[in-house]
Amino acid sequence: MPSETCELYREGSLVYKVLTNAQRDATLVVLARAFCNEPACESLGEIRPEMKVSFVDWFEFVEYWMDHCSTNGLSIVAIDERNHRVAGAFLVRDLFFFPCEFLKTYNNDQKSLTPWMNFLLHLDREAQQVYPELSQAKLGDACDLWFLGIHPDYRGLKIANHLMRLATQQVQNAAFQFATIEATSYFTSKAAAFNGFQSIVNIEAKDWLWKDKPLYINASQPHGTWTFWIKKLN
């Protein structure tokens, strides 16, 4: 387990550390709240109220990952030490790891996040088809910078760039061959490009089909393009 006092970077009152159980629950709340503004889901809720994704839905989704990501020594949290608050976090997982029951849960049409998760899985499959080295990777080879969220009070401070940079360093230090990112927003893609990731798959949300019909047809600009990014590390 990583040391709870391990400081990776500091800027003003913001200190960046490896995520541990000490910040687990506060990080969960911040990420669930941040993703209430996820562009595709937020826009879909405007035209399909029955598919609106709530804070509780995101809380349940992120909760599946918290035990793994708060103990693997790869995820990064930004803490405002002056106000004792989590400002943002980046959950990191092995690309081929899924918590017990997670995929079963998000194969259930009663879950509003089932289409969203299946879109991500489709993006992953497309990436493996166009990037031969990734298609041959296995558990322990590729690490996914999986879930990035910034508290609304701390947006615009380049926290996402710092979290991505530090998470990539942690993954490289852990001897993974690749770091990957599935970006569902323009801002995540912008941070990925800034940190040297390569775009290998781009899918317009309006063109992706769920049960043979387009679903995410009204994502607000500059969002609407989902991108799989990769960076070769070792």
Side-chain angles (χ1 to χ4, degrees):
M1 181 179 295
S3 169
E4 296 184 9
T5 61
C6 180
E7 180 179 316
L8 301 176
Y9 180 70
R10 178 181 291 270
E11 188 170 77
S13 67
L14 292 173
V15 60
Y16 295 78
K17 298 181 177 182
V18 173
L19 176 63
T20 70
N21 278 322
Q23 302 91 26
R24 179 197 188 281
D25 292 345
T27 298
L28 169 59
V29 172
V30 167
L31 289 173
R33 180 178 180 186
F35 266 77
C36 287
N37 300 122
E38 196 284 325
C41 291
E42 186 177 37
S43 298
L44 178 62
E46 295 172 359
I47 59 174
R48 298 278 298 272
E50 75 279 9
M51 298 192 73
K52 182 178 177 61
V53 184
S54 69
F55 172 83
V56 172
D57 295 322
W58 283 115
F59 188 96
E60 179 187 29
F61 185 96
V62 181
E63 168 68 15
Y64 269 101
W65 298 93
M66 292 309 302
D67 286 344
H68 172 70
C69 292
S70 62
T71 58
N72 63 10
L74 300 171
S75 303
I76 308 297
V77 62
I79 302 170
D80 181 354
E81 288 193 324
R82 182 182 300 129
N83 296 306
H84 308 287
R85 301 171 68 190
V86 170
F90 211 153
L91 300 188
V92 180
R93 66 175 177 103
D94 191 295
L95 180 63
F96 301 104
F97 169 81
F98 290 94
C100 182
E101 298 294 315
F102 177 82
L103 292 177
K104 180 179 178 181
T105 297
Y106 293 100
N107 195 36
N108 179 352
D109 288 353
Q110 300 303 310
K111 294 291 184 184
S112 57
L113 280 169
T114 290
W116 191 84
M117 186 61 218
N118 278 270
F119 193 171
L120 283 184
L121 292 172
H122 174 75
L123 191 66
D124 288 355
R125 290 191 294 269
E126 290 293 305
Q128 291 178 52
Q129 288 185 18
V130 303
Y131 199 91
E133 290 178 272
L134 189 62
S135 67
Q136 298 167 15
K138 59 187 183 302
L139 198 68
D141 290 340
C143 209
D144 196 32
L145 280 64
W146 164 234
F147 222 71
L148 170 65
I150 310 299
H151 191 288
D153 292 349
Y154 293 91
R155 290 173 184 166
L157 300 177
K158 299 184 179 180
I159 294 174
N161 278 334
H162 292 313
L163 288 170
M164 191 173 292
R165 173 178 59 83
L166 295 167
T168 304
Q169 289 176 1
Q170 289 297 111
V171 170
Q172 185 165 14
N173 292 340
F176 284 89
Q177 297 179 34
F178 306 100
T180 65
I181 299 170
E182 301 109 327
T184 69
S185 81
Y186 168 79
F187 300 119
T188 303
S189 281
K190 187 176 180 180
F194 182 82
N195 281 278
F197 282 74
Q198 173 191 356
S199 165
I200 60 172
V201 176
N202 293 279
I203 301 176
E204 295 300 316
K206 63 181 177 58
D207 297 331
W208 180 74
L209 302 182
W210 173 246
K211 299 191 179 298
D212 299 321
K213 295 181 180 179
L215 182 64
Y216 298 114
I217 59 175
N218 66 326
S220 59
Q221 295 302 317
H223 311 289
T225 302
W226 287 31
T227 304
F228 190 101
W229 298 85
I230 193 165
K231 185 172 186 178
K232 194 167 184 178
L233 301 174
N234 298 306

